[in-house]
Amino acid sequence: KDRADGKYFKKKGEIVEVHDNYKADVKMIETGDLIRLDERMLETVIPKVGGPVRIVKGDDGIRECDGTLQAVDMEKLCCTVALVQGGDKIKVEGLTWDAVCKLATPM
């Protein structure tokens, strides 16, 4: 809300680079502006089931892995993602919504 008098509040952007694990350069979709934001100012986007996602939070073994959203549990506020790691298909259940984010470009 505070950034640029709310110009970017609730607007969509694409993370183009991450700095120190807590800040990101974000290219705004509407304007093309490039801004640096703290992670507290960002919100993940959940795609439709079947859409591409990246795991952005959690266990080091799966964080930063790309997958496909398999299911969304509205009661528990979590989801299931299918990953492919080293040729193996892995189903990860119970991921919180802030642990996954829609990929701007498919895998």
Side-chain angles (χ1 to χ4, degrees), residues 77-98:
L77 303 177
C78 66
C79 59
T80 300
V81 173
L83 303 175
V84 177
Q85 286 186 317
D88 295 328
K89 292 182 181 180
I90 301 168
K91 185 176 177 181
V92 183
E93 299 177 321
L95 291 166
T96 59
W97 289 353
D98 66 339

Side-chain angles (χ1 to χ4, degrees), residues 64-79:
E64 297 183 12
C65 289
D66 296 341
T68 304
L69 185 66
Q70 297 292 295
V72 175
D73 186 329
M74 298 299 282
E75 283 185 24
K76 295 180 182 174
L77 303 177
C78 66
C79 59

Side-chain angles (χ1 to χ4, degrees), residues 15-58:
I15 294 176
V16 293
E17 190 170 350
V18 176
H19 302 277
D20 303 323
N21 291 328
Y22 300 105
K23 292 185 176 36
D25 290 340
V26 179
K27 183 174 182 180
M28 303 308 295
I29 292 171
E30 230 175 69
T31 63
D33 295 347
L34 186 65
I35 58 176
R36 185 165 292 179
L37 297 171
D38 186 270
E39 71 173 357
R40 293 172 293 178
M41 300 173 90
L42 300 171
E43 216 173 82
T44 61
V45 175
I46 303 296
K48 294 187 278 185
V49 170
V53 294
R54 173 165 291 154
I55 297 179
V56 296
K57 185 177 179 183

